[in-house]
C-alpha cells in the first residue's frame, strides 16, 4: 500500500503558494450541488422505467405493419425517447436540446391518434412530462456546475500554477477509447438505417413493399449505448484538454480513500469537521509515481517530521490543479514515501464522478507514522509468540525448561 505523507513538504508547494480551501467556502460549494432527485445517477434510474412504460403505452395500439413500406415517421423521436435516461446521466447539455424536441413532436402527434386510443394518449402525456422533467434536471445540473466553478475560483483567489511536467498516461489518452467505441456503434447504426432506407425507397412503387423494421430496431439497439459513449468520450477529452489552456487555479486540499476504490476530496487534511465533497476512481493508469524527489534523509527523522498515514482512516494533503465540479478533470499532486529515506511526489489526473453516497465517518489525526506503528505492532506480536512458545507446557523434556529449575518435581 502506498505510504502517503500526511502533510506536504515545502518543496511540493507551487511557487506563489496554494491557499487552503476554507471550510465555509467548501460548504457553500457542497450546497451548490444539484438536488438529489435530479442527480445524474438517481435521475437516470428514475427515467429508465418510466421511459419503458411510455414506450409500451405508445405502442399498445400501433398497427402491426405498414401497408406501403416502412414507417420512418416517428423514428427519431423513438430514438430520443429510449436514449433519454443515458443522455440525462452522461450528457446533460444534449438533453437541453433533445428533451424539448422530443416533447414537442410527441405532443404534436396527438391529432394522429384515434379518440378511443386512451393508452396512446397517456403515453404521449407521459413522454411530455418526462421531457419537461429531464430538461429541468439538465438545466439545474449545468447551473450547478457553473456555480461550483465560480465558488472554486473564488476560493483559489489569484493563485495560479502550471501543471506538473509529468502527467499520467491515462490523462493523455482520456476519452480516446470511448470515442472509438461510440463512433463504431453509431457508424454501424447509420449503415443499417441507410441500408433499410435505400431498400425501402427502391421498393416504394412495387407491389411488394420493403419492411426495414429489423434495421430500425438493430440500429436503435446500437444507438442506445453508442451515442452516450461518443458524447462522454468527447466531453471527457475536452475536460482533459481544458487543463492545458494555461496556468491553473491551485488549492491545498485533503484526499481520503473509501472501501469502494473511490478517493474523496476534502476541503483540507486538518479540519476534522470537513465533509467529503466529491470523488474520483483510483485507477493505476491515472497516476504517475515518483515525479520528483521532495525530501531525503535518515528514515527515523523523516518518519517523525513527515509521518505517513492510513489513507482509509484520515485524509492526506494534496495540491489541486483545476476547477472542481461534476464532470471536470483535475490534476492532484501529493507526497508519498518512495523508500525509507526518500519522499517523492506523485501526480494523479482524474475526471470527477457524480458519486454522492460514501461510507466515510468522522476521523481523528493519528499524529504519528502509520508504518512505524504497524512495525511496532508486528514486533510486539512476534515477541508475544516467542515468549508464549518457551513455557514448560510446550517442552518435551523437563530438563530443558529453565523456569522449572531443571526438573518437574518427579521422583527418581
Amino acid at each position: 500500500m502506498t505510504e502517503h505523507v500526511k502533510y506536504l513538504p515545502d518543496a511540493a508547494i507551487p511557487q506563489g503558494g496554494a491557499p487552503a480551501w476554507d471550510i465555509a467556502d467548501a460548504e457553500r460549494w457542497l450546497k451548490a450541488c444539484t438536488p438529489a432527485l435530479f442527480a445524474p445517477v438517481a435521475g437516470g434510474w428514475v427515467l429508465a422505467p418510466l421511459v419503458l412504460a411510455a414506450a409500451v403505452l405508445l405502442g399498445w395500439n400501433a398497427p402491426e405493419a405498414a401497408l406501403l413500406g416502412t414507417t420512418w415517421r416517428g423514428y427519431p423521436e423513438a430514438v430520443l425517447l429510449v436514449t433519454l435516461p443515458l443522455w440525462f446521466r452522461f450528457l446533460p447539455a444534449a438533453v437541453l436540446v433533445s428533451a424539448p424536441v422530443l416533447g414537442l413532436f410527441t405532443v404534436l402527434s396527438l391529432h394522429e391518434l384515434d379518440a378511443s386510443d386512451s393508452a396512446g394518449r397517456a403515453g404521449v402525456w407521459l413522454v411530455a412530462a418526462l421531457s419537461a422533467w429531464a430538461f429541468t434536471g439538465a438545466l439545474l445540473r449545468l447551473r450547478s456546475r457553473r456555480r461550483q466553478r465560480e465558488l472554486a475560483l473564488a476560493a483559489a483567489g489569484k493563485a495560479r500554477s502550471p501543471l506538473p511536467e509529468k502527467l499520467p498516461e491515462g490523462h493523455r489518452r482520456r476519452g480516446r477509447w470511448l470515442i472509438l467505441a461510440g463512433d463504431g456503434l453509431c457508424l454501424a447504426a447509420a449503415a443499417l438505417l441507410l441500408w433499410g432506407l435505400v431498400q425501402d425507397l427502391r421498393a416504394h412503387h412495387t407491389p411488394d413493399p420493403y419492411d426495414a423494421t429489423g434495421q430500425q430496431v438493430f440500429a436503435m439497439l446500437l444507438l442506445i449505448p453508442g451515442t452516450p459513449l461518443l458524447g462522454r468520450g468527447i466531453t471527457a477529452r475536452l475536460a482533459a484538454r481544458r487543463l492545458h489552456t494555461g496556468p491553473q487555479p491551485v488549492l491545498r486540499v485533503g484526499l481520503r480513500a473509501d472501501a469502494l476504490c473511490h478517493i474523496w476530496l476534502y476541503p483540507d487534511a486538518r479540519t476534522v469537521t470537513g465533509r467529503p465533497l466529491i470523488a474520483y476512481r483510483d485507477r493505476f493508469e491515472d497516476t504517475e509515481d515518483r515525479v520528483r524527489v521532495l525530501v531525503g534523509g535518515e528514515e527515523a527523522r523523516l518518519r517523525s517530521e513527515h509521518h505517513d498515514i492510513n489513507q482509509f482512516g484520515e485524509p492526506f494533503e494534496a495540491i489541486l490543479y483545476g476547477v472542481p465540479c461534476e464532470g471536470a478533470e483535475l490534476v492532484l499532486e501529493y507526497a508519498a514515501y518512495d523508500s525509507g529515506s526518500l519522499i517523492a511526489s506523485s501526480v494523479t489526473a482524474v475526471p470527477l464522478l457524480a458519486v454522492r453516497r460514501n461510507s466515510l465517518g468522522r476521523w481523528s489525526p493519528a499524529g504519528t507514522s502509520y508504518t512505524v506503528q504497524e512495525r511496532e505492532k508486528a514486533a510486539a506480536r512476534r515477541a508475544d509468540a516467542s515468549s508464549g512458545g518457551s513455557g514448560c507446557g510446550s517442552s518435551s523434556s523437563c530438563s530443558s525448561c529453565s523456569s522449572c529449575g531443571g526438573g518437574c518435581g518427579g521422583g527418581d
Side-chain angles (χ1 to χ4, degrees):
M1 186 173 70
T2 304
E3 299 174 354
H4 296 96
V5 176
K6 174 67 175 179
Y7 301 118
L8 288 168
D10 291 339
I13 308 303
Q15 186 177 5
W21 199 345
D22 184 75
I23 295 296
D25 291 339
E27 285 296 320
R28 282 192 287 272
W29 185 95
L30 195 57
K31 289 178 181 177
C33 288
T34 312
L37 182 62
F38 294 106
V41 178
W45 284 112
V46 168
L47 283 171
L50 294 176
V51 163
L52 178 60
V56 170
L57 290 172
L58 290 172
W60 193 267
N61 293 319
E64 294 183 1
L67 297 177
L68 296 174
T70 307
T71 302
W72 293 94
R73 187 175 180 180
Y75 185 75
E77 296 95 289
V79 172
L80 292 179
L81 176 62
V82 298
T83 56
L84 187 60
L86 286 175
W87 283 28
F88 184 87
R89 169 68 178 85
F90 296 107
L91 306 171
V95 173
L96 289 183
V97 178
S98 69
V101 171
L102 173 62
L104 177 63
F105 279 95
T106 305
V107 171
L108 290 177
S109 67
L110 267 176
H111 72 279
E112 300 177 3
L113 297 177
D114 191 270
S116 61
D117 189 2
S118 56
R121 291 180 176 275
V124 166
W125 290 117
L126 179 56
V127 171
L130 293 178
S131 300
W133 187 91
F135 179 84
T136 303
L139 188 64
L140 289 175
R141 283 175 60 195
L142 294 178
R143 190 178 71 171
S144 171
R145 290 183 183 184
R146 184 177 66 253
R147 178 59 178 156
Q148 287 183 329
R149 283 195 293 266
E150 293 172 353
L151 292 170
L153 287 171
K158 295 183 179 180
R160 298 290 186 275
S161 178
L163 297 179
E165 292 184 4
K166 292 181 65 177
L167 294 174
E169 185 64 26
H171 173 74
R172 292 191 288 270
R173 297 199 308 260
R174 186 76 67 218
R176 183 181 303 172
W177 296 112
L178 293 176
I179 292 173
L180 290 175
D183 262 340
L185 292 173
C186 290
L187 287 174
L192 282 171
L193 292 175
L194 182 61
W195 171 31
L197 180 60
V198 170
Q199 295 297 325
D200 185 34
L201 291 175
R202 285 179 176 176
H204 189 65
H205 298 292
T206 64
D208 299 319
Y210 185 79
D211 185 5
T213 305
Q215 289 94 322
Q216 288 180 332
V217 171
F218 280 113
M220 184 179 293
L221 292 177
L222 294 174
L223 290 171
I224 291 174
T227 50
L229 281 174
L230 178 59
R232 182 65 186 123
I234 293 173
T235 55
R237 191 153 190 85
L238 290 175
R241 295 301 96 195
R242 200 171 293 124
L243 288 170
H244 297 270
T245 56
Q248 293 296 309
V250 290
L251 284 169
R252 197 181 301 204
V253 298
L255 302 176
R256 184 182 174 190
D258 66 11
L260 299 175
C261 297
H262 290 132
I263 305 292
W264 286 84
L265 196 70
Y266 276 73
D268 60 45
R270 301 174 183 270
T271 310
V272 296
T273 57
R275 292 194 291 168
L277 303 174
I278 196 167
Y280 64 87
R281 193 173 299 280
D282 186 16
R283 301 191 306 175
F284 177 77
E285 61 268 25
D286 288 335
T287 297
E288 184 75 26
D289 292 320
R290 197 173 183 178
V291 173
R292 56 191 175 115
V293 175
L294 300 174
V295 184
E298 183 184 3
E299 181 176 6
R301 179 180 64 82
L302 286 181
R303 298 283 182 184
S304 175
E305 295 178 357
H306 305 283
H307 68 276
D308 58 284
I309 56 103
N310 176 7
Q311 64 171 334
F312 297 97
E314 59 179 299
F316 57 93
E317 202 169 52
I319 299 296
L320 179 153
Y321 297 83
V323 185
C325 67
E326 178 215 327
E329 177 143 348
L330 300 178
V331 171
L332 297 156
E333 187 173 15
Y334 49 90
Y337 276 87
D338 185 57
S339 65
S341 59
L342 286 178
I343 295 176
S345 69
S346 295
V347 172
T348 294
V350 285
L352 296 178
L353 303 176
V355 180
R356 297 207 173 196
R357 294 186 179 181
N358 65 80
S359 57
L360 300 175
R362 296 290 294 270
W363 62 274
S364 58
T368 58
S369 169
Y370 177 73
T371 299
V372 171
Q373 289 180 354
E374 291 299 303
R375 289 174 182 174
E376 291 174 350
K377 290 177 183 178
R381 287 193 295 268
R382 287 194 298 267
D384 289 343
S386 176
S387 62
S390 61
C392 298
S394 62
S395 176
S396 60
S397 172
C398 289
S399 61
S400 67
C401 183
S402 60
S403 64
C404 295
C408 292
D412 293 333

